[in-house]
Amino acid sequence: MRKPIIAGNWKMNKTASEAHAFAEAVKTKIPSNDKVDSVIGAPTLFLADLKASAKGTELKIAAQNCYFENAGAFTGETSPAALADLEMDYVIIGHSERREFFHETDEDVNKKAKAIIANGMTPIVCCGESLETYEAGKTAEWIEGQITGALKDLTPEQVSNLVIAYEPIWAIGTGKSADATIADEICGVVRQTVAKLYNDDVAGKVRIQYGGSVKPENIVEYMAKENVDGALVGGASLQPESFLALLEAVK
């Protein structure tokens, strides 16, 4: 059995005081992590405070991005070594918004994954297709290409322990969502790709999330599917009540 993982992705939302209040509101109500991994992905400015708030609780904290070098003349970037020093649990990489607005490539995602693992943290590697790709029936081909690029030269053990998040771009922040059957099918494509690149054992261990307009009202449908091990959640993770409801639904 793969343990479920629910990760909130706050994107560029909240102030430092709002982030602190959120953590204080949820930290003692998080289900045991032997049932579900409960993760908040927050802007870099809030990470140190969130990690301090979460200390001694079941709440795990994720950075939303990092660079692939530990140090250097990279103004404005975030060092994976610095994130590790803050004891971050996860780092989200390859999100479609990063790819679209900041021109990140599969090669960039691969370099970041290696740097995150080298610093003792776990990557949440995102993949997903545009509406045009989906309607053209090329989703499987697209996803296979993204996963192949992102995992290049990673070892079987490294891949077994990371998280992959499938988020169709057309379902992010639109109110639309791939239904549970579609989500399971494409998460299955991700798993099949991992099996092709490595083996069935690795594919059976890697956790795959679905993301895209997931909310407390529909998460159970997704989690009932064979290939869906969790969710990467945007809007529904911004309020303590809805974030806790997501966790309660899957624990």
Side-chain angles (χ1 to χ4, degrees), residues 85-124:
D85 189 59
L86 290 177
E87 300 182 346
M88 287 298 105
D89 301 289
Y90 297 90
V91 185
I92 301 168
I93 53 174
H95 193 280
S96 63
E97 292 159 2
R98 297 292 313 174
R99 294 174 187 265
E100 179 180 1
F101 302 135
F102 303 100
H103 313 295
E104 292 187 2
T105 65
D106 291 335
E107 182 181 8
D108 293 331
V109 176
N110 178 243
K111 289 179 179 178
K112 291 180 181 186
K114 291 173 181 174
I116 291 161
I117 292 168
N119 280 283
M121 299 173 291
T122 301
I124 298 177

Side-chain angles (χ1 to χ4, degrees), residues 30-176:
I30 300 294
S32 169
N33 66 14
D34 63 354
K35 302 286 187 182
V36 56
D37 280 336
S38 309
V39 185
I40 284 296
T44 305
L45 283 169
F46 314 150
L47 295 177
D49 181 69
L50 287 173
K51 191 64 184 181
S53 290
K55 189 175 181 64
T57 78
E58 306 283 11
L59 181 62
K60 300 178 185 297
I61 308 299
Q64 294 180 347
N65 185 42
C66 71
Y67 198 56
F68 47 75
E69 296 286 355
N70 285 337
F74 307 109
T75 302
E77 291 293 337
T78 300
S79 159
L83 292 177
D85 189 59
L86 290 177
E87 300 182 346
M88 287 298 105
D89 301 289
Y90 297 90
V91 185
I92 301 168
I93 53 174
H95 193 280
S96 63
E97 292 159 2
R98 297 292 313 174
R99 294 174 187 265
E100 179 180 1
F101 302 135
F102 303 100
H103 313 295
E104 292 187 2
T105 65
D106 291 335
E107 182 181 8
D108 293 331
V109 176
N110 178 243
K111 289 179 179 178
K112 291 180 181 186
K114 291 173 181 174
I116 291 161
I117 292 168
N119 280 283
M121 299 173 291
T122 301
I124 298 177
V125 180
C126 299
C127 63
E129 83 284 22
S130 67
L131 183 60
E132 180 182 14
T133 299
Y134 175 73
E135 291 181 339
K138 296 181 178 179
T139 293
E141 176 184 347
W142 180 266
I143 296 300
E144 182 172 345
Q146 285 189 317
I147 296 302
T148 300
L151 304 186
K152 186 175 185 293
D153 298 326
L154 296 185
T155 68
E157 182 179 8
Q158 289 171 336
V159 175
S160 294
N161 291 314
L162 57 72
V163 179
I164 299 174
Y166 164 60
E167 287 198 305
I169 297 170
W170 48 271
I172 299 173
T174 63
K176 299 179 180 179

